[in-house]
Amino acid sequence: MHIFNNGKYKSLHAVEQGELATIRQTVHSDKDFYPTYHLAPQTGLFNDPNGLIFDGEKYHIFAQWFPYDALHGMKHWEHFITRDFQTFEKFDRLIPDEMFESHGCYSGGAIMWQNKIVAFYTGNTRRASDNQRVPHQNIAIFDKSGKLLEKRCIIDQAPAGYTEHVRDPKPFITTEGKIRFVLGAQRENLTGTCLVYEMDDLDSTPRLISELAVKDFDNSHVFMWECPDLFQLGGKDVFVWSPQGKLREAHQFQNNYHATYALGKLEGNNLTAEHIEELDYGFDFYAPQSVQNTDRIVFGWVGLPDLTYPTDKYKWHSTLSLPRQIKVANGKIQQTPIVQLAAKQAVEIDQKIAIDNLDTAYLQISVENQPLALNFFSNDNGQTLGLRYGNGLLTLDRSATEQTDLMEKFGSLRHCQVDKLDSLEIFFDRSVVEIFINSGEKVMTLRFFIANRINLLETSRPITVQVAQVQAIQIQN
């Protein structure tokens, strides 16, 4: 075992006595923004969901984690186990302590193999002579109780024809009983793609079969595909990935990076897409991954690469999304959040009204395809979060909320085309919002920051809102 401790490349094995407790006190000083029912780091930074799998009894949820600060330092995998997405227990983490992961444990997925959980992940390493990144593809084997049994490297370099940017293996078992995994990659001509590898078993050498081609996806300007995920759903083949470099557009692909899916038919390693779309139209959603051995649940990272947030000063950054049950409906993916709600109460709103605990509430609003403008919350600085609909366009407006320079850089409006808006379901969790449009036909997720807020809702016309509290999750260390 190696103990890495070099600036931001510091593993948990190098933690000093009381260090995390001190950081935790800083996190606790955040009285406005830390969520109640989203998985968030107790210290430091979360990003991609990883290794998501149902072992037949329990769900294992891993997340990229840097424990020491709200920045992208040496990545560990935090490890939660839950039976109901309500009560979570922590178990053995993935801590970088081998040379094949000397600069962090990057993203990946997991399978069940011979009654063990096998997590595939990318070990980030740097060559000492010139600091060149050298990606390693590794496996970590856990038993179903959450105990880490072993780790080892299965590929120690990028394949010929590709750059150092080869990462994020997501495995699955074929109908022939072999292990395959998809792997995000960058070609030497600096374009993004996905590689497909196959193994006969865990002891065999992975074989590169081919690239995975997605017909009709415009890959112009895209320099990297991250976090690929390939599975079947509702009789269709689904490929989910995060392309980097795609040009921003007015009403889609509005962020700096995107979470995209293609739905269609896979023949060999060519996917003929019947539909291609983003999984989320909000400000903050990236690197989604489906839970293996389910049909089918997805988590995402409520955040984006290269962003800072006002909560960084409290030494915590980002959350995971709510778990979302997905299905194919009308040729597209429909998403339904998995949460526990208290009893709903109908609230009649004419102009404005104070709603107790609005910032941790669920709202169901019947829009009836009529123009509507809503403002949520208020404070002494005049800050508010806006949502409006008209002419087939739903617009989120966080221009009147606190933002960092990097948040403002990518704009304060996000749009979603909805030809006929019947209903909205909105989940507020202090600084996280997930908005499900027309029963999950489309979704918009974001972070927002209004300190010392009043739980106020203002509307442009009379509406009836169903309001319920969302049950807080419990995390047992």
Side-chain angles (χ1 to χ4, degrees), residues 391-474:
N391 298 317
L393 197 66
L394 183 65
T395 299
L396 264 172
D397 183 352
R398 67 179 183 191
S399 61
T401 67
E402 181 183 356
Q403 299 188 81
T404 64
D405 290 344
L406 283 173
M407 292 170 69
E408 290 183 333
K409 176 182 177 182
F410 296 105
S412 298
L413 302 177
R414 289 295 180 270
H415 307 287
C416 182
Q417 289 182 309
V418 186
D419 293 335
K420 185 174 183 291
L421 180 57
D422 296 317
S423 65
L424 295 169
E425 293 178 279
I426 305 175
F427 294 83
F428 285 110
D429 195 6
R430 308 196 76 211
S431 64
V432 181
V433 192
E434 299 190 49
I435 302 172
F436 292 79
I437 302 161
N438 289 344
S439 300
E441 176 185 301
K442 295 184 178 182
V443 186
M444 303 179 83
T445 300
L446 75 150
R447 301 291 307 281
F448 79 103
F449 303 92
I450 301 175
N452 303 311
R453 58 190 168 268
I454 300 169
N455 286 315
L456 192 70
L457 172 54
E458 183 176 4
T459 176
S460 61
R461 61 176 171 87
I463 56 173
T464 299
V465 180
Q466 298 288 332
V467 181
Q469 277 297 297
V470 183
Q471 186 171 328
I473 61 174
Q474 303 295 320

Coordinates of all heavy atoms in Angstrom, one line a residue, residues 391-474:
N391 N -45.7 30.4 -25.2 CA -45.3 30.1 -26.6 C -44.5 28.8 -26.8 O -43.5 28.8 -27.6 CB -44.6 31.3 -27.2 CG -45.4 32.5 -27.2 OD1 -46.6 32.5 -27.6 ND2 -44.9 33.7 -26.9
G392 N -44.8 27.8 -26.0 CA -44.1 26.5 -26.1 C -42.7 26.5 -25.6 O -42.0 25.5 -25.9
L393 N -42.4 27.4 -24.7 CA -41.0 27.5 -24.2 C -41.1 27.7 -22.6 O -41.7 28.6 -22.1 CB -40.2 28.6 -24.8 CG -38.7 28.6 -24.6 CD1 -38.1 27.4 -25.4 CD2 -38.1 29.8 -25.1
L394 N -40.4 26.7 -21.9 CA -40.3 26.8 -20.5 C -38.9 27.4 -20.2 O -37.9 26.8 -20.7 CB -40.5 25.5 -19.8 CG -40.5 25.4 -18.3 CD1 -41.7 26.2 -17.7 CD2 -40.5 23.9 -17.8
T395 N -38.8 28.4 -19.4 CA -37.6 29.1 -19.1 C -37.3 29.2 -17.6 O -38.1 29.7 -16.8 CB -37.6 30.5 -19.7 OG1 -37.8 30.4 -21.1 CG2 -36.3 31.2 -19.4
L396 N -36.1 28.7 -17.2 CA -35.6 28.9 -15.9 C -34.7 30.1 -15.8 O -33.9 30.3 -16.7 CB -34.8 27.7 -15.5 CG -35.4 26.5 -14.7 CD1 -34.4 25.4 -14.6 CD2 -35.8 27.0 -13.3
D397 N -34.9 30.9 -14.8 CA -34.1 32.2 -14.7 C -33.5 32.3 -13.3 O -34.2 32.5 -12.3 CB -35.1 33.4 -15.0 CG -34.4 34.7 -15.0 OD1 -33.2 34.8 -14.6 OD2 -35.0 35.7 -15.3
R398 N -32.2 32.2 -13.2 CA -31.5 32.3 -11.9 C -30.7 33.6 -11.9 O -29.8 33.7 -11.1 CB -30.7 31.1 -11.5 CG -29.5 30.8 -12.3 CD -28.8 29.5 -11.8 NE -27.6 29.2 -12.5 CZ -26.9 28.1 -12.4 NH1 -27.3 27.1 -11.6 NH2 -25.8 27.9 -13.1
S399 N -31.0 34.6 -12.8 CA -30.2 35.8 -12.8 C -30.4 36.6 -11.6 O -29.5 37.4 -11.2 CB -30.7 36.6 -14.0 OG -32.0 37.0 -13.9
A400 N -31.5 36.5 -10.8 CA -31.7 37.2 -9.6 C -31.3 36.4 -8.4 O -31.9 36.6 -7.3 CB -33.1 37.7 -9.5
T401 N -30.4 35.5 -8.5 CA -29.9 34.7 -7.4 C -28.4 34.9 -7.3 O -27.7 35.4 -8.2 CB -30.2 33.2 -7.6 OG1 -29.4 32.7 -8.7 CG2 -31.6 32.9 -7.8
E402 N -27.8 34.4 -6.2 CA -26.3 34.6 -6.1 C -25.6 33.6 -7.0 O -26.0 32.4 -7.1 CB -25.9 34.3 -4.6 CG -24.4 34.4 -4.4 CD -24.0 34.0 -3.0 OE1 -24.8 33.7 -2.1 OE2 -22.7 34.0 -2.7
Q403 N -24.6 34.0 -7.8 CA -23.9 33.2 -8.7 C -22.4 33.5 -8.6 O -22.0 34.7 -8.4 CB -24.4 33.4 -10.1 CG -25.8 33.0 -10.4 CD -26.2 33.1 -11.9 OE1 -25.9 32.1 -12.6 NE2 -26.8 34.1 -12.3
T404 N -21.6 32.5 -8.9 CA -20.2 32.8 -9.0 C -19.9 33.3 -10.4 O -20.8 33.2 -11.3 CB -19.4 31.5 -8.8 OG1 -19.7 30.5 -9.8 CG2 -19.6 30.9 -7.4
D405 N -18.7 33.8 -10.7 CA -18.3 34.3 -12.0 C -18.5 33.2 -13.0 O -18.9 33.4 -14.2 CB -16.9 34.8 -12.0 CG -16.8 36.1 -11.2 OD1 -17.8 36.7 -11.0 OD2 -15.7 36.5 -10.9
L406 N -18.1 31.9 -12.7 CA -18.1 30.8 -13.6 C -19.6 30.4 -13.9 O -19.9 30.0 -15.0 CB -17.3 29.6 -13.1 CG -15.8 29.7 -13.3 CD1 -15.1 28.6 -12.6 CD2 -15.4 29.8 -14.8
M407 N -20.5 30.5 -12.9 CA -21.9 30.3 -13.2 C -22.4 31.3 -14.2 O -23.1 30.9 -15.2 CB -22.7 30.3 -11.9 CG -22.4 29.2 -10.9 SD -23.2 29.4 -9.3 CE -24.9 29.3 -9.7
E408 N -22.1 32.6 -14.0 CA -22.6 33.6 -14.9 C -22.0 33.5 -16.3 O -22.7 33.9 -17.2 CB -22.3 35.0 -14.3 CG -23.1 35.3 -13.0 CD -22.8 36.7 -12.5 OE1 -21.6 37.2 -12.7 OE2 -23.6 37.3 -11.8
K409 N -20.8 33.0 -16.4 CA -20.1 32.9 -17.7 C -21.0 32.1 -18.7 O -21.0 32.4 -19.9 CB -18.8 32.2 -17.5 CG -18.0 31.9 -18.8 CD -16.7 31.2 -18.5 CE -16.0 30.9 -19.8 NZ -14.7 30.1 -19.6
F410 N -21.7 31.1 -18.2 CA -22.5 30.3 -19.1 C -24.0 30.7 -19.2 O -24.8 29.9 -19.7 CB -22.3 28.8 -18.7 CG -20.9 28.3 -18.9 CD1 -20.1 28.1 -17.8 CD2 -20.4 28.1 -20.2 CE1 -18.8 27.7 -17.9 CE2 -19.1 27.7 -20.3 CZ -18.3 27.5 -19.2
G411 N -24.3 31.9 -18.7 CA -25.6 32.4 -18.8 C -26.5 32.0 -17.7 O -26.4 31.0 -17.0
S412 N -27.6 32.9 -17.5 CA -28.5 32.7 -16.3 C -29.9 32.2 -16.7 O -30.8 32.2 -15.9 CB -28.6 34.1 -15.6 OG -27.4 34.5 -15.1
L413 N -30.1 31.9 -18.0 CA -31.3 31.3 -18.4 C -31.1 29.9 -19.0 O -30.1 29.7 -19.7 CB -32.0 32.2 -19.5 CG -32.2 33.7 -19.2 CD1 -32.8 34.4 -20.4 CD2 -33.2 33.8 -18.0
R414 N -32.1 29.1 -18.8 CA -32.1 27.8 -19.5 C -33.5 27.6 -20.0 O -34.5 27.8 -19.3 CB -31.7 26.6 -18.6 CG -30.2 26.6 -18.3 CD -29.3 26.4 -19.5 NE -27.9 26.3 -19.1 CZ -27.1 27.4 -19.1 NH1 -27.7 28.6 -19.4 NH2 -25.9 27.3 -18.8
H415 N -33.6 27.1 -21.3 CA -34.9 27.0 -22.0 C -35.2 25.5 -22.3 O -34.2 24.7 -22.5 CB -34.9 27.7 -23.3 CG -34.5 29.2 -23.1 ND1 -35.3 30.1 -22.5 CD2 -33.3 29.8 -23.5 CE1 -34.7 31.3 -22.5 NE2 -33.5 31.1 -23.1
C416 N -36.4 25.1 -22.3 CA -36.8 23.8 -22.7 C -38.1 23.9 -23.5 O -39.1 24.5 -23.1 CB -37.1 23.0 -21.4 SG -37.6 21.2 -21.8
Q417 N -38.0 23.4 -24.7 CA -39.2 23.4 -25.6 C -40.2 22.4 -25.2 O -39.9 21.2 -25.1 CB -38.8 23.2 -27.1 CG -38.0 24.3 -27.7 CD -37.6 24.1 -29.1 OE1 -37.1 23.1 -29.5 NE2 -37.9 25.1 -30.0
V418 N -41.4 22.9 -24.9 CA -42.5 22.0 -24.5 C -43.8 22.5 -25.2 O -44.3 23.5 -24.9 CB -42.8 22.1 -22.9 CG1 -43.8 21.0 -22.6 CG2 -41.5 21.9 -22.2
D419 N -44.1 21.8 -26.2 CA -45.2 22.3 -27.1 C -46.5 22.4 -26.3 O -47.3 23.3 -26.6 CB -45.4 21.3 -28.3 CG -44.2 21.4 -29.2 OD1 -43.5 22.4 -29.3 OD2 -44.0 20.4 -29.9
K420 N -46.8 21.4 -25.4 CA -48.0 21.5 -24.6 C -47.7 21.1 -23.2 O -47.4 20.0 -22.9 CB -49.0 20.4 -25.2 CG -50.4 20.5 -24.5 CD -51.3 19.5 -25.2 CE -52.7 19.6 -24.6 NZ -52.8 19.0 -23.2
L421 N -47.6 22.2 -22.3 CA -47.3 22.0 -20.9 C -48.5 21.8 -20.1 O -49.3 22.7 -19.9 CB -46.5 23.2 -20.4 CG -46.0 23.1 -19.0 CD1 -45.2 21.9 -18.7 CD2 -45.3 24.4 -18.6
D422 N -48.7 20.5 -19.6 CA -49.8 20.2 -18.8 C -49.5 20.4 -17.3 O -50.3 20.9 -16.5 CB -50.3 18.8 -19.1 CG -50.8 18.6 -20.5 OD1 -51.5 19.5 -21.0 OD2 -50.4 17.6 -21.1
S423 N -48.3 19.9 -16.9 CA -48.1 19.8 -15.4 C -46.6 20.0 -15.2 O -45.7 19.6 -16.0 CB -48.6 18.5 -14.8 OG -47.8 17.4 -15.3
L424 N -46.3 20.5 -14.0 CA -44.9 20.5 -13.4 C -44.9 19.9 -12.1 O -45.8 20.0 -11.3 CB -44.5 22.0 -13.3 CG -44.4 22.9 -14.5 CD1 -44.2 24.3 -14.2 CD2 -43.2 22.4 -15.4
E425 N -43.9 19.1 -11.8 CA -43.6 18.6 -10.5 C -42.2 19.1 -10.1 O -41.2 18.9 -10.8 CB -43.6 17.1 -10.5 CG -45.0 16.5 -10.7 CD -45.0 15.0 -10.7 OE1 -44.6 14.4 -11.8 OE2 -45.3 14.4 -9.7
I426 N -42.1 19.9 -9.0 CA -40.9 20.6 -8.6 C -40.5 20.1 -7.2 O -41.2 20.1 -6.3 CB -41.1 22.1 -8.6 CG1 -41.7 22.6 -9.9 CG2 -39.9 22.8 -8.2 CD1 -42.0 24.0 -10.0
F427 N -39.2 19.7 -7.2 CA -38.6 19.2 -5.9 C -37.5 20.2 -5.5 O -36.5 20.3 -6.1 CB -38.0 17.8 -6.1 CG -39.0 16.8 -6.4 CD1 -39.4 16.6 -7.7 CD2 -39.5 16.0 -5.4 CE1 -40.4 15.6 -7.9 CE2 -40.4 15.0 -5.6 CZ -40.8 14.8 -6.9
F428 N -37.8 21.0 -4.4 CA -36.8 21.9 -3.8 C -36.1 21.2 -2.7 O -36.7 20.6 -1.8 CB -37.5 23.2 -3.3 CG -38.0 24.1 -4.3 CD1 -39.4 24.3 -4.6 CD2 -37.1 24.9 -5.0 CE1 -39.8 25.2 -5.5 CE2 -37.5 25.8 -6.0 CZ -38.9 25.9 -6.2
D429 N -34.8 21.4 -2.7 CA -34.0 20.8 -1.5 C -32.9 21.9 -1.2 O -31.7 21.6 -1.4 CB -33.4 19.5 -1.9 CG -32.9 18.7 -0.7 OD1 -33.1 19.2 0.5 OD2 -32.3 17.7 -0.8
R430 N -33.3 23.0 -0.7 CA -32.5 24.1 -0.2 C -31.7 24.8 -1.2 O -31.8 26.0 -1.4 CB -31.6 23.6 1.0 CG -32.5 22.8 2.1 CD -31.8 22.7 3.4 NE -31.7 23.9 4.1 CZ -30.8 24.3 4.9 NH1 -29.7 23.5 5.1 NH2 -30.8 25.4 5.5
S431 N -30.8 24.1 -1.9 CA -30.0 24.7 -3.0 C -30.1 23.9 -4.3 O -29.4 24.2 -5.3 CB -28.6 25.0 -2.6 OG -27.9 23.8 -2.4
V432 N -30.9 22.9 -4.3 CA -31.1 22.0 -5.4 C -32.5 22.0 -5.9 O -33.4 22.0 -5.0 CB -30.7 20.5 -5.1 CG1 -30.8 19.6 -6.3 CG2 -29.3 20.5 -4.5
V433 N -32.8 22.0 -7.2 CA -34.1 21.9 -7.7 C -34.1 20.9 -8.8 O -33.3 21.0 -9.7 CB -34.7 23.3 -8.2 CG1 -36.2 23.2 -8.5 CG2 -34.4 24.4 -7.3
E434 N -35.1 20.0 -8.8 CA -35.3 19.1 -10.0 C -36.8 19.3 -10.4 O -37.7 19.2 -9.6 CB -35.1 17.7 -9.6 CG -33.6 17.4 -9.2 CD -33.2 16.0 -9.0 OE1 -33.5 15.2 -9.9 OE2 -32.6 15.6 -8.0
I435 N -37.0 19.6 -11.7 CA -38.3 19.9 -12.2 C -38.6 18.9 -13.3 O -37.9 18.7 -14.3 CB -38.3 21.4 -12.9 CG1 -37.9 22.4 -11.8 CG2 -39.7 21.7 -13.4 CD1 -37.7 23.8 -12.4
F436 N -39.7 18.2 -13.0 CA -40.2 17.1 -13.9 C -41.4 17.6 -14.7 O -42.4 18.0 -14.1 CB -40.5 15.8 -13.2 CG -39.3 15.2 -12.6 CD1 -38.7 15.7 -11.4 CD2 -38.6 14.1 -13.2 CE1 -37.6 15.1 -10.8 CE2 -37.5 13.6 -12.7 CZ -37.0 14.1 -11.5
I437 N -41.3 17.7 -16.0 CA -42.2 18.3 -16.9 C -43.1 17.2 -17.5 O -42.6 16.2 -18.1 CB -41.4 19.1 -18.0 CG1 -40.5 20.1 -17.3 CG2 -42.4 19.7 -19.0 CD1 -39.4 20.6 -18.3
N438 N -44.4 17.4 -17.4 CA -45.4 16.5 -18.0 C -45.0 15.0 -17.6 O -44.8 14.2 -18.4 CB -45.4 16.6 -19.6 CG -46.0 17.9 -20.0 OD1 -46.7 18.6 -19.3 ND2 -45.8 18.2 -21.3
S439 N -45.0 14.8 -16.3 CA -44.7 13.5 -15.7 C -43.4 12.9 -16.1 O -43.3 11.7 -16.3 CB -45.9 12.5 -16.1 OG -47.1 13.0 -15.6
G440 N -42.4 13.8 -16.3 CA -41.0 13.3 -16.6 C -40.7 13.2 -18.1 O -39.7 12.6 -18.4
E441 N -41.6 13.8 -18.9 CA -41.3 13.8 -20.4 C -39.9 14.5 -20.6 O -39.1 14.1 -21.5 CB -42.4 14.5 -21.1 CG -42.3 14.7 -22.5 CD -43.4 15.6 -23.1 OE1 -44.6 15.1 -22.9 OE2 -43.2 16.6 -23.6
K442 N -39.7 15.6 -19.8 CA -38.4 16.3 -19.8 C -38.1 16.7 -18.4 O -39.0 16.7 -17.6 CB -38.4 17.5 -20.8 CG -38.6 17.1 -22.2 CD -38.5 18.3 -23.1 CE -38.6 17.9 -24.6 NZ -38.5 19.0 -25.6
V443 N -36.8 17.0 -18.1 CA -36.4 17.4 -16.8 C -35.5 18.5 -16.8 O -34.7 18.7 -17.8 CB -35.8 16.2 -16.0 CG1 -35.5 16.5 -14.6 CG2 -36.6 14.9 -16.1
M444 N -35.5 19.4 -15.8 CA -34.6 20.5 -15.7 C -34.1 20.5 -14.2 O -34.9 20.5 -13.3 CB -35.2 21.9 -16.0 CG -35.8 22.0 -17.4 SD -36.6 23.6 -17.7 CE -35.2 24.5 -18.2
T445 N -32.7 20.4 -14.1 CA -32.1 20.3 -12.7 C -31.1 21.5 -12.6 O -30.4 21.9 -13.5 CB -31.4 19.0 -12.6 OG1 -32.3 17.9 -12.7 CG2 -30.7 18.9 -11.2
L446 N -31.1 22.1 -11.4 CA -30.2 23.2 -11.2 C -29.9 23.3 -9.7 O -30.6 22.8 -8.8 CB -30.8 24.5 -11.7 CG -31.9 25.1 -10.8 CD1 -31.9 26.6 -11.0 CD2 -33.3 24.6 -11.2
R447 N -28.7 24.0 -9.5 CA -28.4 24.6 -8.2 C -28.8 26.1 -8.2 O -28.7 26.8 -9.2 CB -26.9 24.6 -7.9 CG -26.3 23.2 -7.9 CD -26.7 22.3 -6.8 NE -26.5 22.9 -5.5 CZ -25.3 23.0 -4.8 NH1 -24.2 22.5 -5.4 NH2 -25.2 23.5 -3.6
F448 N -29.3 26.6 -7.0 CA -29.6 28.0 -6.9 C -29.3 28.4 -5.5 O -29.3 27.6 -4.6 CB -31.1 28.3 -7.2 CG -32.0 28.0 -6.1 CD1 -32.5 29.0 -5.3 CD2 -32.4 26.6 -5.8 CE1 -33.4 28.7 -4.2 CE2 -33.2 26.3 -4.8 CZ -33.7 27.3 -4.0
F449 N -29.0 29.7 -5.3 CA -28.5 30.2 -4.1 C -29.1 31.5 -3.7 O -28.9 32.6 -4.3 CB -26.9 30.4 -4.1 CG -26.3 29.1 -4.5 CD1 -26.0 28.8 -5.9 CD2 -25.9 28.1 -3.6 CE1 -25.4 27.6 -6.2 CE2 -25.4 26.9 -3.9 CZ -25.1 26.6 -5.2
I450 N -30.0 31.4 -2.7 CA -30.7 32.6 -2.1 C -30.6 32.5 -0.6 O -31.3 31.6 0.0 CB -32.2 32.7 -2.5 CG1 -32.3 32.8 -4.0 CG2 -32.9 33.9 -1.9 CD1 -33.7 32.7 -4.5
A451 N -29.7 33.2 0.0 CA -29.4 33.1 1.5 C -30.5 33.9 2.2 O -31.2 34.8 1.7 CB -28.1 33.7 1.8
N452 N -30.8 33.5 3.4 CA -31.7 34.2 4.3 C -33.1 34.4 3.6 O -33.7 35.5 3.7 CB -31.2 35.6 4.8 CG -29.8 35.4 5.5 OD1 -29.7 34.6 6.4 ND2 -28.9 36.2 5.1
R453 N -33.5 33.3 3.0 CA -34.7 33.4 2.1 C -36.0 33.3 2.9 O -36.1 32.7 3.9 CB -34.6 32.4 1.0 CG -34.6 31.0 1.5 CD -34.3 29.9 0.5 NE -34.0 28.6 1.1 CZ -32.7 28.3 1.4 NH1 -31.7 29.0 1.1 NH2 -32.5 27.1 2.0
I454 N -37.0 34.0 2.3 CA -38.4 33.8 2.7 C -39.1 32.8 1.8 O -38.9 32.9 0.6 CB -39.1 35.2 2.7 CG1 -38.4 36.2 3.6 CG2 -40.6 35.0 3.1 CD1 -39.0 37.6 3.4
N455 N -39.8 31.9 2.4 CA -40.4 30.8 1.6 C -41.7 31.3 1.0 O -42.8 31.1 1.4 CB -40.7 29.6 2.5 CG -39.4 28.8 2.8 OD1 -38.6 28.6 1.9 ND2 -39.2 28.4 4.0
L456 N -41.5 32.0 -0.1 CA -42.6 32.8 -0.8 C -42.8 32.3 -2.2 O -41.8 32.1 -2.9 CB -42.3 34.3 -0.8 CG -43.4 35.2 -1.1 CD1 -44.5 35.3 0.0 CD2 -42.8 36.6 -1.3
L457 N -44.0 32.2 -2.7 CA -44.3 31.8 -4.0 C -45.2 32.9 -4.6 O -46.3 33.2 -4.1 CB -45.0 30.4 -4.1 CG -45.5 30.0 -5.5 CD1 -44.5 30.1 -6.6 CD2 -46.1 28.6 -5.4
E458 N -44.8 33.4 -5.8 CA -45.6 34.5 -6.4 C -46.0 33.9 -7.8 O -45.1 33.4 -8.6 CB -44.8 35.7 -6.6 CG -45.5 36.9 -7.2 CD -44.7 38.2 -7.2 OE1 -43.5 38.1 -6.8 OE2 -45.2 39.2 -7.6
T459 N -47.2 34.2 -8.3 CA -47.7 33.7 -9.5 C -48.3 34.8 -10.3 O -48.9 35.7 -9.8 CB -48.7 32.5 -9.3 OG1 -49.2 32.1 -10.6 CG2 -49.8 33.0 -8.4
S460 N -48.3 34.6 -11.7 CA -48.9 35.6 -12.6 C -50.4 35.5 -12.7 O -51.0 36.4 -13.3 CB -48.2 35.6 -13.9 OG -48.4 34.3 -14.5
R461 N -50.9 34.3 -12.3 CA -52.3 34.1 -12.4 C -52.8 33.1 -11.4 O -51.9 32.4 -10.8 CB -52.7 33.6 -13.8 CG -52.0 32.2 -14.2 CD -52.5 31.8 -15.6 NE -51.8 30.6 -16.1 CZ -52.1 29.3 -15.8 NH1 -53.1 29.1 -15.0 NH2 -51.4 28.4 -16.4
P462 N -54.0 33.1 -11.0 CA -54.5 32.1 -10.0 C -54.2 30.7 -10.4 O -54.5 30.3 -11.5 CB -56.0 32.4 -9.9 CG -56.2 33.8 -10.4 CD -55.1 33.9 -11.5
I463 N -53.6 29.9 -9.4 CA -53.3 28.5 -9.7 C -53.6 27.7 -8.4 O -53.7 28.3 -7.3 CB -51.9 28.3 -10.1 CG1 -50.9 28.8 -9.1 CG2 -51.6 28.8 -11.5 CD1 -49.5 28.5 -9.3
T464 N -53.8 26.4 -8.5 CA -53.9 25.5 -7.4 C -52.6 24.7 -7.4 O -52.3 24.1 -8.4 CB -55.1 24.6 -7.5 OG1 -56.3 25.4 -7.5 CG2 -55.2 23.7 -6.3
V465 N -52.0 24.6 -6.3 CA -50.7 23.9 -6.1 C -50.9 22.8 -5.1 O -51.4 23.1 -4.0 CB -49.5 24.8 -5.7 CG1 -48.3 24.0 -5.6 CG2 -49.4 25.9 -6.8
Q466 N -50.5 21.6 -5.4 CA -50.4 20.5 -4.5 C -49.1 20.5 -3.8 O -48.0 20.5 -4.5 CB -50.7 19.1 -5.1 CG -52.0 19.0 -5.8 CD -53.2 18.8 -4.8 OE1 -53.0 18.3 -3.7 NE2 -54.3 19.3 -5.2
V467 N -49.0 20.7 -2.5 CA -47.8 20.8 -1.8 C -47.6 19.7 -0.8 O -48.5 19.2 -0.1 CB -47.8 22.2 -1.0 CG1 -46.4 22.3 -0.3 CG2 -48.0 23.3 -1.9
A468 N -46.4 19.1 -0.7 CA -46.1 18.1 0.2 C -44.6 18.2 0.6 O -43.8 18.7 -0.1 CB -46.3 16.7 -0.4
Q469 N -44.3 17.8 1.8 CA -42.9 17.7 2.3 C -42.3 16.4 1.8 O -42.9 15.4 1.7 CB -42.8 17.8 3.8 CG -42.9 19.3 4.3 CD -41.7 20.1 3.8 OE1 -40.6 19.8 4.1 NE2 -42.0 21.2 3.1
V470 N -41.0 16.5 1.4 CA -40.2 15.4 1.0 C -39.4 14.9 2.2 O -38.8 15.6 3.0 CB -39.3 15.7 -0.1 CG1 -38.5 14.5 -0.6 CG2 -40.0 16.4 -1.3
Q471 N -39.5 13.6 2.5 CA -38.9 13.0 3.7 C -37.4 13.1 3.5 O -36.8 12.7 2.5 CB -39.3 11.6 3.8 CG -38.8 10.9 5.1 CD -39.5 9.6 5.4 OE1 -40.6 9.4 5.1 NE2 -38.7 8.7 6.0
A472 N -36.7 13.6 4.6 CA -35.2 13.6 4.6 C -34.6 12.3 4.6 O -35.2 11.3 5.2 CB -34.8 14.5 5.7
I473 N -33.5 12.1 3.9 CA -32.8 10.8 4.0 C -32.0 10.7 5.3 O -31.6 11.7 5.9 CB -31.9 10.6 2.7 CG1 -30.8 11.7 2.7 CG2 -32.7 10.5 1.5 CD1 -29.8 11.5 1.5
Q474 N -31.6 9.5 5.6 CA -30.8 9.3 6.8 C -29.5 8.6 6.4 O -29.6 7.6 5.6 CB -31.5 8.4 7.8 CG -32.8 9.0 8.3 CD -32.7 10.3 9.1 OE1 -31.8 10.4 9.9 NE2 -33.6 11.2 8.8

